[in-house]
Amino acid sequence: MNPLKLLHVAHAGMLASFLLSLGALSLAYVFSHSLGLATQVASHIALIVFPAFFKLGYVLRLTALKQLGRAVD
């Protein structure tokens, strides 16, 4: 895959997983009193899954930066 395209995909994936994590966090702790048990369980599971996707996006970002010859910081 083109490294520049990979970098854009990585940034978009990191942004999406960050926003989904914030949504799951608000469902799990802020609005938990008005949600059913299944939704609460799903939101707590999402708090494990979405940050894992963020980490995957970060690894893709590092790979793209290395392929482009840019500083990896």
Side-chain angles (χ1 to χ4, degrees):
M1 181 180 251
N2 181 6
L4 194 56
K5 185 175 180 179
L6 182 63
L7 185 63
H8 290 298
V9 168
H11 284 161
M14 288 172 64
L15 177 64
S17 64
F18 175 72
L19 294 175
L20 287 170
S21 295
L22 285 180
L25 185 69
S26 66
L27 285 176
Y29 294 106
V30 177
F31 302 112
S32 64
H33 60 280
S34 61
L35 299 174
L37 182 62
T39 308
Q40 288 183 24
V41 169
S43 64
H44 280 84
I45 291 172
L47 285 174
I48 297 169
V49 174
F50 291 142
F53 286 132
F54 185 85
K55 292 173 188 177
L56 179 64
Y58 189 73
V59 170
L60 289 175
R61 178 183 179 273
L62 293 176
T63 303
L65 288 174
K66 185 174 181 183
Q67 289 177 359
L68 289 169
R70 296 185 186 171
V72 178
D73 51 358

